[in-house]
Amino acid sequence: MWIFILRRLAVLALALLVVSFLVFLIPYLGDTDPVRALARARFGRLDLDADAIEALRIELGMHRPLLVQYLDWLGKAVTGDFGNSYMSREPVMGQVWSALKVSIVLTLAALGFAFAVAVPCGSIAALRQGSTFDSIVKSLNQAFVAVPEYWLAPMSILVFALYLGWLPSAGWRGPESVILPALALSLRPMGYFTQVMRASMIDVLNSPHIVAAHSRGLSIRRTLIAHGLRNALLPVITLFSVWMAGLLGGAVVIEVIFAVPGMGRLVYSAIVNGDLPVLQAGLVAIVTFAVLINTLTDLAYTLLNPVVRIDNAAA
């Protein structure tokens, strides 16, 4: 078990190192000279003479070899120092941390609601294959997966905020501000979670140990709760981690429409404004959390599934 954990931590460190180098290269991959981009943000113009540009390049240390620049940047990034924003002139990590906390709350609320609905609905649909309930669940799953968020978000604002007046239409001022964007963000993962839960539960129902337990007189519901639910949840947990990692920085449409100050909106604004330090710090934060979540998912798999635990111990 400990060998497996150490191996996963080594993979995590290597993945973050590779990602950090790719993120560091972002200013050099575009057509615009990063020094001139900073000059535009700092001085409001690009028509600086060559001497001024070169002086700024030396001030930033960008005249040094690329590898030396990367090691210097990495050393500061490890301590949380990504420099100052080109736009606000404030430390980048303060903005990233504030946005990250918002995105974590929004993502957990959305996926928590999706998980709470998907697990019982998927399980009941598997127990009642071919029934009216099963047909309704499958139809709703297809609708939830297909509906675009750029349509769903304005419609939810129109109905619940403007017409009914139950919830605020935008902003991030309290618990009531979480409900509408979280519900709009939860429908697509809810559809996937329910589909996977239904398919996984059907496999569990047909597994030999469930059939044997049921033949000994245990009710199917008691058998599933005692023996099958944990195994049926494994694919859903994997999907949960994938969505968690993706939504931390990928809920751009929802965050922009509902004016939620999260990571998706922060990274989107940094791209639009050419704010490279914010973009770099945001991407590093998103990838770091994604890798951590995937690592924790592997550990959860090991704890929930004895077969995986034995395989890891043997390895």
Side-chain angles (χ1 to χ4, degrees), residues 279-293:
L279 177 60
Q280 289 176 316
L283 291 177
V284 169
I286 292 170
V287 173
T288 300
F289 267 82
V291 175
L292 285 174
I293 290 168

Side-chain angles (χ1 to χ4, degrees), residues 204-217:
V204 170
L205 286 170
N206 295 326
S207 61
H209 70 282
I210 295 295
V211 175
H214 184 51
S215 65
R216 289 196 299 268

Side-chain angles (χ1 to χ4, degrees), residues 17-313:
L17 188 64
V18 172
V19 169
S20 69
F21 183 67
L22 295 176
V23 169
F24 166 77
L25 290 177
I26 287 177
Y28 300 93
L29 299 178
D31 297 331
T32 303
D33 182 357
V35 178
R36 292 188 177 275
L38 177 58
R40 180 178 60 184
R42 180 176 294 185
F43 305 111
R45 58 193 181 91
L46 282 173
D47 57 340
L48 296 175
D49 57 47
D51 292 338
I53 292 294
E54 188 60 27
L56 184 57
R57 192 183 306 277
I58 295 173
E59 176 188 339
L60 296 173
M62 300 184 74
H63 64 293
R64 299 173 298 169
L66 192 64
L67 183 59
V68 175
Q69 294 183 50
Y70 167 68
L71 293 177
D72 182 53
W73 178 87
L74 181 63
K76 294 180 180 178
V78 170
T79 64
D81 182 10
F82 286 87
N84 295 334
S85 166
Y86 288 174
M87 304 303 296
S88 65
R89 311 287 177 88
E90 297 177 355
V92 167
M93 279 309 297
Q95 302 178 49
V96 171
W97 179 240
S98 298
L100 189 60
K101 290 188 290 185
V102 170
S103 287
I104 289 174
V105 171
L106 177 61
T107 301
L108 287 177
L111 294 183
F113 182 73
F115 190 83
V117 173
V119 170
C121 287
S123 301
I124 295 172
L127 289 170
R128 301 179 181 178
Q129 295 179 61
S131 66
T132 302
F133 180 83
D134 187 26
S135 299
I136 293 174
V137 167
K138 288 190 291 186
S139 299
L140 288 176
N141 288 342
Q142 294 174 359
F144 290 166
V145 170
V147 63
E149 293 172 348
Y150 59 80
W151 177 86
L152 179 63
M155 288 301 297
S156 60
I157 292 175
L158 182 64
V159 174
F160 295 103
L162 299 182
Y163 182 72
L164 296 176
W166 292 351
L167 298 167
S169 60
W172 194 259
R173 293 180 295 274
E176 67 278 0
S177 301
V178 182
I179 298 174
L180 208 52
L183 288 177
L185 195 60
S186 70
L187 291 189
R188 192 184 296 271
M190 186 189 300
Y192 284 110
F193 289 178
T194 307
Q195 290 178 9
V196 172
M197 187 66 196
R198 178 183 179 276
S200 180
M201 186 61 75
I202 290 174
D203 289 341
V204 170
L205 286 170
N206 295 326
S207 61
H209 70 282
I210 295 295
V211 175
H214 184 51
S215 65
R216 289 196 299 268
L218 290 176
S219 68
I220 189 65
R221 287 180 174 81
R222 184 178 176 185
T223 302
L224 286 177
I225 293 174
H227 303 286
L229 187 59
R230 185 171 64 178
N231 290 334
L233 282 173
L234 290 176
V236 183
I237 291 174
T238 302
L239 199 61
F240 187 99
S241 69
V242 172
W243 276 93
M244 178 72 182
L247 291 182
L248 279 176
V252 178
V253 173
I254 294 296
E255 290 183 358
V256 170
I257 292 178
F258 286 101
V260 175
M263 286 299 298
R265 189 181 179 194
L266 181 71
V267 171
Y268 171 78
S269 299
I271 294 173
V272 171
N273 297 319
D275 201 341
L276 295 177
V278 174
L279 177 60
Q280 289 176 316
L283 291 177
V284 169
I286 292 170
V287 173
T288 300
F289 267 82
V291 175
L292 285 174
I293 290 168
N294 289 331
T295 302
L296 292 175
T297 302
D298 288 342
L299 295 177
Y301 247 106
T302 303
L303 294 174
L304 289 173
N305 194 332
V307 175
V308 177
R309 185 160 59 246
I310 291 172
D311 290 343
N312 289 330

